Amino acid sequence: MTATTYGIQLTDTHLFEDPEARLWDVAPDPMLDRVLREVERVADKARFLLVTGDCSSDGSPASYERLVRKLSRFDLPIYYLPGNHDDAGLMARLLGGMDLPPCRKWTQTFEVGDWRFVLLDTSVPGEDGGELGDEQRAWLRRTLAQYPQSPTIVVMHHNPVPVGSEWLDTMTLADRNALSAILETSPQVRAVLFGHVHQVFECRANGTRYLSAPSTFFQFKPRSRRFGRDDRSPGFRMIQLNGQTLRSAVYRTGEVPPPLM
Ligand SMILES: [Fe+2]
């Protein structure tokens, strides 16, 4: 019988140095606390936690330290990657125990059972939009070529596909076509997980699934021309890996949990 593995994706926690600070009239800290109470219900099934960027709103050391403290209640390996609001250099030092390499991008990989995770850094200092850049794409190509048989999930902050919201789709991944060309020749990549869009978006293109997770903080109105607030609750995504198959479900605070996968 094939073992089943679960993982949890949290994204866009947006903490500030001041735990009472608000953005768009909402305080990120209590929102995250509510989501983490939901995560507690399922965390004992999970083998790892992914935090897919915009961990901080202001790039302050205190915001990262508080996030680590809040997540330390889970006895799980936690993998962080940077978003456009983060300080990637500080995150790599504080959360990854390393300095950024000369290409200024923090790349990571890890294995869970037969599955391989490849975590990319799409952040560009001072920019809302993202980019992998030539060196990171070359690294991704090499990394995928090394493990052609391992079912793989690629993880990043920015959306590498448009989500149908005009204002958000101006700040996607600049080199997304080049990424797509790499993924087309890497059939082992089952899915790309991302954050940034503060809403659930799912599609399939050229054999790859693209899945976002809700922010733990503030939800953006889907398919909207301009910035707008959605009244859906914050939440997280849970993924299930079984053999070569990926399944996943989104949990939101105050809503009936999806059927147990
Ligand atoms: Fe964000």
Side-chain angles (χ1 to χ4, degrees):
M1 206 168 94
T2 322
T4 303
T5 301
Y6 293 89
I8 290 167
Q9 180 193 6
L10 295 170
T11 197
D12 294 81
T13 52
H14 276 278
L15 301 191
F16 286 91
E17 178 171 17
D18 174 1
E20 291 179 10
R22 299 168 85 87
L23 174 63
W24 302 311
D25 207 28
V26 179
D29 263 71
M31 301 293 274
L32 174 60
D33 293 340
R34 281 179 57 196
V35 171
L36 295 185
R37 283 197 288 276
E38 296 295 321
V39 173
E40 277 172 4
R41 297 176 200 267
V42 292
D44 61 331
K45 294 174 66 128
R47 291 266 305 275
F48 61 93
L49 198 56
L50 294 166
V51 189
T52 55
D54 284 2
C55 303
S56 173
S57 279
D58 58 12
S60 59
S63 60
Y64 295 116
E65 285 155 8
R66 211 165 61 257
L67 179 57
V68 168
R69 220 164 37 241
K70 284 176 191 283
L71 299 183
S72 67
R73 78 183 73 175
F74 305 112
D75 186 21
L76 293 171
I78 303 175
Y79 300 93
Y80 300 87
L81 58 79
N84 46 304
H85 288 268
D86 288 307
D87 179 332
L90 180 64
M91 275 184 79
R93 267 200 310 283
L94 275 181
L95 309 176
M98 60 170 277
D99 286 321
L100 288 184
C103 68
R104 310 292 305 152
K105 296 288 193 183
W106 182 21
T107 52
Q108 306 166 77
T109 64
F110 68 93
E111 281 173 287
V112 180
D114 295 335
W115 287 69
R116 176 160 290 274
F117 283 75
V118 179
L119 278 55
L120 302 175
D121 176 355
T122 58
S123 69
V124 179
E127 302 281 334
D128 287 329
E131 187 172 33
L132 295 168
D134 294 344
E135 287 185 52
Q136 188 173 204
R137 278 189 274 108
W139 175 87
L140 175 62
R141 244 182 260 113
R142 285 196 305 275
T143 303
L144 293 174
Q146 257 180 305
Y147 306 99
Q149 306 301 334
S150 308
T152 299
I153 295 181
V154 173
V155 192
M156 66 187 74
H157 178 69
H158 286 84
N159 48 313
V161 282
V163 297
S165 284
E166 221 171 279
W167 71 281
L168 258 177
D169 288 338
T170 61
M171 48 180 111
T172 58
L173 192 69
D175 47 358
R176 61 176 191 263
N177 290 340
L179 170 68
S180 168
I182 297 172
L183 299 181
E184 271 176 46
T185 55
S186 311
Q188 79 269 35
V189 176
R190 298 292 192 272
V192 179
L193 302 181
F194 57 95
H196 189 55
V197 297
H198 291 224
Q199 64 191 272
V200 173
F201 181 84
E202 303 185 1
C203 75
R204 186 184 285 273
N206 300 321
T208 307
R209 287 170 73 186
Y210 291 85
L211 307 166
S212 73
S215 166
T216 64
F217 161 51
F218 182 102
Q219 311 305 305
F220 296 151
K221 210 168 195 41
R223 292 172 298 283
S224 171
R225 280 188 64 194
R226 293 188 199 88
F227 169 87
R229 180 180 182 162
D230 191 45
D231 53 16
R232 293 297 299 270
S233 309
F236 63 95
R237 183 179 285 280
M238 192 148 184
I239 60 172
Q240 182 205 63
L241 311 171
N242 184 281
Q244 298 277 316
T245 307
L246 162 74
R247 295 170 69 199
S248 94
V250 171
Y251 291 67
R252 292 182 188 265
T253 60
E255 294 188 8
V256 178
L260 210 56
M261 289 182 291

